[in-house]
Protein backbone atom coordinates (compact mmCIF):
# COMPACT_ATOMS: atom_id res chain seq x y z
CA UNK A 1 0.00 0.00 0.00
CA UNK A 2 1.05 3.58 -0.67
CA UNK A 3 2.96 5.05 2.34
CA UNK A 4 1.00 8.32 2.03
CA UNK A 5 -2.30 6.48 2.39
CA UNK A 6 -0.94 4.47 5.32
CA UNK A 7 0.32 7.66 6.96
CA UNK A 8 -3.12 9.24 6.58
CA UNK A 9 -4.75 6.13 8.06
CA UNK A 10 -2.22 6.13 10.89
CA UNK A 11 -2.99 9.78 11.61
CA UNK A 12 -6.72 8.97 11.76
CA UNK A 13 -6.11 5.97 14.05
CA UNK A 14 -3.87 8.14 16.21
CA UNK A 15 -6.63 10.73 16.51
CA UNK A 16 -9.02 7.97 17.58
CA UNK A 17 -6.53 7.32 20.39
CA UNK A 18 -6.88 3.55 20.63
CA UNK A 19 -4.09 1.02 20.52
CA UNK A 20 -6.51 -1.44 18.90
CA UNK A 21 -6.89 0.90 15.91
CA UNK A 22 -3.13 1.45 15.66
CA UNK A 23 -1.97 -2.16 15.91
CA UNK A 24 -3.16 -3.45 12.49
CA UNK A 25 -1.84 -0.33 10.74
CA UNK A 26 1.53 -0.61 12.45
CA UNK A 27 1.66 -4.26 11.36
CA UNK A 28 0.83 -3.23 7.79
CA UNK A 29 3.57 -0.59 7.92
CA UNK A 30 6.02 -3.42 8.59
CA UNK A 31 6.97 -3.02 12.25
CA UNK A 32 8.21 -6.34 13.66
CA UNK A 33 6.39 -5.96 16.99
CA UNK A 34 3.06 -4.25 16.19
CA UNK A 35 1.77 -4.47 19.78
CA UNK A 36 4.81 -2.71 21.21
CA UNK A 37 5.05 -0.14 18.41
CA UNK A 38 1.33 0.68 18.69
CA UNK A 39 1.77 1.17 22.44
CA UNK A 40 4.78 3.43 21.80
CA UNK A 41 2.83 5.50 19.27
CA UNK A 42 -0.03 5.89 21.73
CA UNK A 43 2.42 7.07 24.42
CA UNK A 44 4.17 9.36 21.94
CA UNK A 45 0.83 10.91 21.03
CA UNK A 46 0.74 12.48 24.50
CA UNK A 47 3.94 14.38 23.65
CA UNK A 48 3.39 14.75 19.89
CA UNK A 49 -0.30 15.69 19.66
CA UNK A 50 -0.08 16.45 15.92
CA UNK A 51 -1.14 13.14 14.37
CA UNK A 52 0.33 14.03 10.98
CA UNK A 53 3.69 14.65 12.60
CA UNK A 54 3.39 11.40 14.54
CA UNK A 55 2.69 9.56 11.27
CA UNK A 56 5.79 11.20 9.76
CA UNK A 57 7.77 9.96 12.78
CA UNK A 58 6.49 6.42 12.19
CA UNK A 59 7.44 6.58 8.51
CA UNK A 60 10.91 7.90 9.37
CA UNK A 61 11.34 5.13 11.95
CA UNK A 62 10.73 2.57 9.20
CA UNK A 63 13.86 3.83 7.44
CA UNK A 64 16.08 2.99 10.43
CA UNK A 65 18.03 -0.16 11.25
CA UNK A 66 15.40 -1.21 13.81
CA UNK A 67 12.08 0.65 13.46
CA UNK A 68 10.60 -0.82 16.66
CA UNK A 69 13.68 0.22 18.61
CA UNK A 70 13.53 3.72 17.10
CA UNK A 71 9.96 4.26 18.35
CA UNK A 72 10.66 2.73 21.74
CA UNK A 73 13.82 4.81 22.18
CA UNK A 74 11.99 7.97 21.13
CA UNK A 75 9.32 7.25 23.71
CA UNK A 76 12.08 6.89 26.34
CA UNK A 77 13.66 10.16 25.21
CA UNK A 78 10.38 12.02 25.74
CA UNK A 79 10.84 11.49 29.47
CA UNK A 80 14.07 13.51 29.60
CA UNK A 81 14.37 15.80 26.57
CA UNK A 82 12.83 19.24 26.69
CA UNK A 83 9.49 18.87 24.93
CA UNK A 84 9.67 22.09 22.91
CA UNK A 85 13.12 21.14 21.60
CA UNK A 86 12.07 17.58 20.85
CA UNK A 87 9.03 18.79 18.91
CA UNK A 88 11.19 21.23 16.94
CA UNK A 89 13.62 18.43 16.02
CA UNK A 90 10.77 16.10 15.05
CA UNK A 91 9.19 18.90 13.01
CA UNK A 92 12.25 19.10 10.77
CA UNK A 93 12.38 16.23 8.29
CA UNK A 94 16.19 16.14 8.22
CA UNK A 95 16.62 16.32 11.99
CA UNK A 96 13.80 13.82 12.58
CA UNK A 97 15.55 11.36 10.26
CA UNK A 98 18.90 11.93 11.99
CA UNK A 99 17.46 11.49 15.47
CA UNK A 100 15.53 8.34 14.58
CA UNK A 101 18.58 6.89 12.81
CA UNK A 102 20.53 7.18 16.06
CA UNK A 103 17.65 5.92 18.19
CA UNK A 104 16.95 2.98 15.88
CA UNK A 105 20.56 1.85 15.69
CA UNK A 106 22.16 2.36 19.07
CA UNK A 107 20.68 1.63 22.51
CA UNK A 108 24.03 2.80 23.88
CA UNK A 109 23.71 6.29 22.36
CA UNK A 110 20.02 6.40 23.26
CA UNK A 111 20.99 5.74 26.87
CA UNK A 112 23.43 8.65 26.80
CA UNK A 113 20.82 11.00 25.31
CA UNK A 114 18.28 9.93 27.93
CA UNK A 115 20.70 10.26 30.86
CA UNK A 116 22.16 13.57 29.69
CA UNK A 117 19.50 15.86 28.20
CA UNK A 118 22.17 18.49 27.56
CA UNK A 119 23.68 16.18 24.93
CA UNK A 120 20.35 16.05 23.09
CA UNK A 121 20.15 19.83 23.31
CA UNK A 122 23.70 20.36 22.05
CA UNK A 123 23.59 17.82 19.23
CA UNK A 124 20.09 18.31 17.88
CA UNK A 125 18.42 21.49 19.18
CA UNK A 126 21.56 23.67 19.13
CA UNK A 127 22.66 22.16 15.82
CA UNK A 128 26.07 20.78 16.79
CA UNK A 129 25.34 17.71 14.66
CA UNK A 130 25.05 19.91 11.55
CA UNK A 131 28.21 21.88 12.22
CA UNK A 132 31.16 20.87 10.06
CA UNK A 133 34.48 20.80 11.88
CA UNK A 134 37.92 20.63 10.43
CA UNK A 135 40.94 19.18 12.20
CA UNK A 136 42.06 22.56 13.57
CA UNK A 137 38.63 23.23 15.11
CA UNK A 138 38.52 19.82 16.77
CA UNK A 139 42.06 20.22 18.10
CA UNK A 140 41.21 23.66 19.55
CA UNK A 141 38.09 22.23 21.23
CA UNK A 142 40.08 19.34 22.68
CA UNK A 143 42.73 21.72 24.02
CA UNK A 144 39.99 23.72 25.76
CA UNK A 145 38.55 20.60 27.38
CA UNK A 146 41.69 18.69 28.29
CA UNK A 147 44.44 20.48 30.22
CA UNK A 148 47.96 20.07 28.84
CA UNK A 149 49.08 18.57 32.18
CA UNK A 150 46.39 15.86 32.06
CA UNK A 151 47.42 12.33 32.92
CA UNK A 152 47.03 9.59 30.33
CA UNK A 153 43.83 8.41 32.05
CA UNK A 154 42.43 11.97 32.02
CA UNK A 155 43.39 12.33 28.38
CA UNK A 156 41.57 9.10 27.51
CA UNK A 157 38.47 10.22 29.42
CA UNK A 158 38.52 13.63 27.74
CA UNK A 159 38.83 12.05 24.29
CA UNK A 160 36.00 9.63 25.07
CA UNK A 161 33.71 12.44 26.22
CA UNK A 162 34.57 14.57 23.21
CA UNK A 163 33.83 11.73 20.84
Amino acid sequence: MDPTILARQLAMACAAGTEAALKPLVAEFGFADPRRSAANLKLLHAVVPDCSLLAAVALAALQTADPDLALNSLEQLTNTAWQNELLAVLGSERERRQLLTVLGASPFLTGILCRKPDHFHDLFAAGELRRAKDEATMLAELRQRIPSEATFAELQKGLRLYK
Side-chain angles (χ1 to χ4, degrees), residues 16-157:
T18 65
E19 241 176 89
L22 286 169
K23 190 176 170 185
L25 285 171
V26 170
E28 193 171 344
F29 262 76
F31 286 92
D33 187 348
R35 182 196 55 77
R36 179 176 162 200
S37 291
N40 282 322
L41 284 170
K42 185 162 175 19
L43 291 168
L44 285 167
H45 186 247
V47 177
V48 183
D50 179 347
C51 292
S52 296
L53 177 56
L54 192 56
V57 167
L59 286 172
L62 286 168
Q63 304 304 311
T64 68
D66 186 338
D68 297 283
L69 177 64
L71 286 183
N72 191 53
S73 297
L74 179 60
E75 194 278 318
Q76 290 174 22
L77 187 62
T78 64
N79 296 315
T80 58
W82 296 303
Q83 186 172 353
N84 61 334
E85 290 184 348
L86 182 60
L87 288 173
V89 168
L90 293 175
S92 162
E93 184 179 344
R94 179 179 182 206
E95 291 174 0
R96 175 175 57 240
R97 192 173 11 93
Q98 290 172 332
L99 175 61
L100 289 167
T101 296
V102 170
L103 298 177
S106 178
F108 174 76
L109 291 176
T110 297
I112 291 172
L113 292 174
C114 289
R115 283 190 309 277
K116 300 186 182 270
D118 288 345
H119 287 0
F120 172 81
H121 169 80
D122 293 344
L123 287 172
F124 292 97
E128 192 66 22
L129 193 63
R130 294 182 305 274
R131 196 176 78 137
K133 296 180 185 182
D134 59 14
E135 185 179 339
T137 301
M138 289 188 279
L139 186 57
E141 288 177 352
L142 282 168
R143 286 193 172 131
Q144 286 178 343
R145 294 174 185 222
I146 304 169
S148 57
E149 65 277 353
T151 66
F152 185 68
E154 292 168 335
L155 174 64
Q156 286 181 311
K157 180 179 180 184

